[in-house]
């Protein structure tokens, strides 16, 4: 069973594999500042899904955008204090192979509906 704090973090913030991967990467290297292109190359992912995940994590307050390098912004890890405990528990859980499998399965389930949730949020914001 997934820890309730981790479950809430997954449902409210990390609803795609890209966001989970980014959070874990930045948590492991909290002082790094990277561009979307360098992150996509490092994670072997397409730039479009990485850029969308970066934008959403920035909007949620987990990343900050710094000065541009060659016209591309740099992203830095700045998790909100209210999520520190959930992130700590996520990292601890993710180190256990059985719990990692549960987390990844839950992320895949959430990702299947992430686009619909974003659409609903946008629809209500503009209504």
């Amino acid at each position: 069973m997934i820890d309730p704090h981790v479950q809430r973090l997954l449902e409210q913030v990390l609803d795609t594999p890209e966001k989970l991967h980014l959070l874990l990467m930045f948590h492991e290297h909290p002082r790094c500042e990277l561009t979307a292109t360098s992150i996509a190359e490092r994670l072997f992912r397409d730039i479009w899904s990485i850029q969308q995940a970066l934008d959403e994590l920035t909007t949620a307050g987990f990343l900050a955008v710094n000065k541009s390098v060659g016209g591309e912004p740099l992203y830095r890890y700045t998790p909100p204090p209210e999520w520190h405990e959930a992130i700590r528990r996520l990292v601890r859980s993710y180190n256990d192979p059985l719990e990692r499998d549960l987390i990844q399965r839950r992320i895949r389930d959430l990702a299947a509906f992430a686009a619909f949730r974003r659409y609903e949020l946008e629809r209500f914001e503009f209504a």
Side-chain angles (χ1 to χ4, degrees):
M1 186 170 152
I2 297 176
D3 181 292
H5 289 87
V6 173
Q7 180 74 22
R8 192 168 65 95
L9 177 63
L10 297 177
E11 291 174 354
Q12 294 182 9
V13 182
L14 307 176
D15 58 357
T16 65
E18 291 83 8
K19 287 191 232 177
L20 174 64
H21 204 155
L22 287 170
L23 181 110
L24 292 171
M25 180 195 73
F26 275 109
H27 184 78
E28 188 174 334
H29 306 285
R31 297 197 194 297
C32 73
E33 291 186 346
L34 300 166
T35 64
T37 302
S38 64
I39 293 169
E41 290 171 358
R42 178 181 282 201
L43 300 181
F44 301 105
R45 303 275 182 133
D46 65 278
I47 187 69
W48 304 281
S49 63
I50 292 299
Q51 187 61 62
Q52 181 176 359
L54 288 168
D55 291 343
E56 291 174 12
L57 286 173
T58 301
T59 300
F62 284 74
L63 299 176
V65 181
N66 282 348
K67 59 191 174 294
S68 294
V69 170
E72 219 180 331
L74 289 169
Y75 293 89
R76 179 175 47 88
Y77 187 54
T78 58
E82 63 269 16
W83 289 106
H84 286 186
E85 179 62 21
I87 293 168
R88 187 184 64 70
R89 290 179 185 203
L90 170 67
V91 170
R92 187 183 68 226
S93 296
Y94 208 75
N95 286 328
D96 178 274
L98 296 176
E99 289 188 48
R100 180 183 314 135
D101 186 52
L102 290 173
I103 291 168
Q104 288 178 344
R105 193 172 314 144
R106 183 66 183 136
I107 286 288
R108 283 191 301 272
D109 292 344
L110 290 168
F113 298 102
F116 298 111
R117 282 193 307 277
R118 281 191 293 275
Y119 171 76
E120 289 296 318
L121 286 173
E122 289 172 4
R123 196 175 92 190
F124 286 118
E125 285 177 2
F126 294 116

